[in-house]
Amino acid sequence: MPPLGRDDILQKVVLILRRDLKLGADAPIAPDMPFFGSDIDLDSLDILLLVTSIEKEFGVKIPSDAIGKEVFQSVATLVDFVAASAAASAAAAGSAAAASSGASASPAAPPEYVARLPHGQGFRFVTTVTSVREGDRAEGVWSLSGDEPFFAAHFPGNPLVPGVLLAEALAQIS
């Protein structure tokens, strides 16, 4: 399958924006439209939804440190990132195919998914990632000692993990 051109990527990104942000068909989405301080004005859940959709649709990975800085400045910067990532992936696939026809290469080390989380240690609700099928599913563990501060005040005597922390743990593993 030939790589998508920039215009094709732009069309798909606009469709994703309309679908994920529930924008009407008549809502203008110009390439130079910023994601923040415009009619869209995304919040953190919108960004999470868009990151997931973009990564799944185009088979790219958006690094945590790039989310707010360069990639999500505007529709155009997102499209440029996807186009550049797709081109880099195609080039890497070509080199991998060339390498596999020669001597066998050693497998790459697995990525450290927990370290890629943008959250600090005090707000990290994933201790280890046990399995990942990128773009599809992940499983992880949140190890608790029972001494966490929220246990003392959340139903004292019969402590429970607050549901909002469980929801955050699910968001982090995704």
Side-chain angles (χ1 to χ4, degrees), residues 136-174:
D136 183 35
R137 61 187 289 268
E139 294 177 16
V141 174
W142 179 18
S143 297
L144 298 167
S145 67
D147 295 328
E148 289 75 16
F150 57 82
F151 280 135
H154 198 249
F155 297 100
N158 190 18
L160 296 172
V161 176
V164 69
L165 296 184
L166 294 173
E168 178 63 26
L170 290 170
Q172 289 181 15
I173 195 68
S174 71

Side-chain angles (χ1 to χ4, degrees), residues 38-122:
S38 70
D39 290 338
I40 290 182
D41 203 24
L42 302 176
D43 63 23
S44 60
L45 292 177
D46 294 330
I47 290 288
L48 179 63
L49 181 61
L50 285 176
V51 166
T52 304
S53 294
I54 295 294
E55 288 181 341
K56 186 173 184 178
E57 176 68 29
F58 296 104
V60 299
K61 291 295 170 203
I62 302 174
S64 301
D65 58 345
I67 289 175
K69 295 177 184 167
E70 297 95 27
V71 176
F72 282 93
Q73 287 180 16
S74 68
V75 174
T77 58
L78 176 59
V79 169
D80 290 343
F81 176 84
V82 170
S85 295
S89 293
S95 351
S100 70
S101 63
S104 63
S106 61
E112 178 52 51
Y113 291 100
V114 174
R116 291 171 47 189
L117 288 172
H119 308 85
Q121 189 60 37

